[in-house]
Amino acid sequence: MSSGGGTETSGSGDIARTLDLLWGTGQRPSRGPKPGLTLDRIVEAAVEVADRDGIGALSMRRIATELGTGAMSLYRYVPGKAELLDLMLDRVQRASDNPADLGDGGWRSALEALGRAALALYRRHPWLLEVNQSRPILGPSALDGMEKVLSRIKPMGLTDPELLSAIIMIDGYVVGAARTQLYQEQAESSSGLTDAQFWEAQRPALEKAMSSGRYPVLAGLSEDTFGSDFDHFEFGLQRILDGLEVFVARRTGDEKEDRAGTGRTAGDEG
């Protein structure tokens, strides 16, 4: 569901073969030379490599090494890295079977839970942010997730394209927030400076700028403005949902007015 755009692209392999593998409709390979080797184990190993070392470390040879087999053995199960990537994407997006994970039943709680779950997904698998999923291969996990969310937000009363757009809106917001968090962590790791040390190094110059009178609004901000206690992700998510609530209420009100107007017209004509 992500729209992240990075070093890899979903759907760039053999689409028909990938769909066969995702849906289990293709011909299963004969048993490989290493007992116990399965497509599931290959996909799991690939996800573990990407989680640990990033998507750039992913290769058929590297996965084979992780599994203690030869690279040629893997090709009995999956055509190549491009198709494997699509299997990985579907694997990590498996929807929870617990209905409570999508909130208390209302559409707002469902979208709220979707946003938080998506952020957690990117935190667990940051390599997802490096995959361009603008043209995803839709497997069972992706469709299961969409089915669950759409069934919960259908009562919003929006058109089907609008319902899809609401999901895209949440995902787009989450991708941006997750990427910002990831970049912050990478900057700290590569620079060797903690976030606090980074800003402390700028403090003398910033204090001088604030006392110059050139930035009166910035100088007047409260001390906690840039503190770490404020949850910017949660604030933004709630404001998006507030906006959707206003839109849904307006849509519902407009429909009621239309029905009422139609009723009056019919009565007048009678």
Side-chain angles (χ1 to χ4, degrees):
M1 188 171 61
S2 160
S3 55
T7 61
E8 302 289 345
T9 302
S10 63
S12 59
D14 183 330
I15 296 175
R17 182 68 179 124
T18 301
L19 289 170
D20 283 342
L21 292 170
L22 283 170
W23 292 97
T25 56
Q27 197 173 30
R28 293 189 177 184
S30 58
R31 187 171 181 175
K34 182 176 177 60
L37 186 63
T38 64
L39 181 61
D40 278 347
R41 284 195 63 202
I42 293 170
V43 175
E44 287 172 3
V47 171
E48 289 173 3
V49 168
D51 286 348
R52 186 172 62 245
D53 301 319
I55 198 71
L58 192 68
S59 70
M60 299 296 277
R61 183 177 298 277
R62 173 66 185 278
I63 298 162
T65 300
E66 292 285 322
L67 293 170
T69 189
M72 292 306 297
S73 300
L74 305 187
Y75 291 105
R76 300 170 68 92
Y77 296 87
V78 60
K81 178 181 172 182
E83 293 81 6
L84 179 59
L85 176 63
D86 287 317
L87 300 181
M88 293 167 60
L89 293 171
D90 197 69
R91 172 63 59 90
V92 300
Q93 294 182 64
R94 283 181 176 174
S96 169
D97 292 327
N98 184 0
D101 289 343
L102 275 181
D104 60 11
W107 67 261
R108 176 166 181 145
S109 68
L111 289 177
E112 184 176 18
L114 175 66
R116 291 172 182 162
L119 182 65
L121 177 67
Y122 292 124
R123 297 284 294 172
R124 290 194 304 273
H125 310 290
W127 54 270
L128 286 170
L129 295 169
E130 299 183 67
V131 180
N132 178 349
Q133 296 185 61
S134 59
R135 298 201 303 181
I137 300 292
L138 298 178
S141 295
L143 293 187
D144 285 347
M146 287 290 289
E147 179 71 16
K148 286 181 171 63
V149 174
L150 285 170
S151 66
R152 294 288 292 273
I153 69 174
K154 193 73 173 175
M156 292 175 77
L158 304 182
T159 66
D160 291 344
E162 288 170 343
L163 289 174
L164 180 60
S165 188
I167 295 174
I168 292 173
M169 185 190 313
I170 297 295
D171 186 62
Y173 170 70
V174 175
V175 166
R179 183 173 285 118
T180 296
Q181 291 184 9
L182 177 63
Y183 286 172
Q184 289 173 338
E185 293 171 1
Q186 289 177 340
E188 183 169 322
S189 176
S190 63
S191 68
L193 293 175
T194 66
D195 207 44
Q197 290 171 332
F198 174 78
W199 290 110
E200 179 61 25
Q202 297 189 64
R203 185 170 61 84
L206 291 174
E207 287 181 345
K208 184 176 181 179
M210 292 304 104
S211 64
S212 69
R214 184 174 178 176
Y215 308 102
V217 176
L218 283 170
L221 293 176
S222 62
E223 291 185 2
D224 63 346
T225 299
F226 299 101
S228 59
D229 292 336
F230 190 86
D231 192 335
H232 293 282
F233 173 80
E234 193 65 27
F235 179 82
L237 179 62
Q238 295 304 324
R239 300 299 74 77
I240 291 173
L241 297 173
D242 287 346
L244 284 171
E245 275 199 339
V246 171
F247 181 69
V248 169
R250 187 172 64 198
R251 174 66 59 79
T252 303
D254 290 344
E255 290 177 353
K256 288 181 178 179
E257 287 182 8
D258 289 343
R259 287 196 294 270
T262 301
R264 286 194 298 271
T265 300
D268 291 342
E269 290 177 352

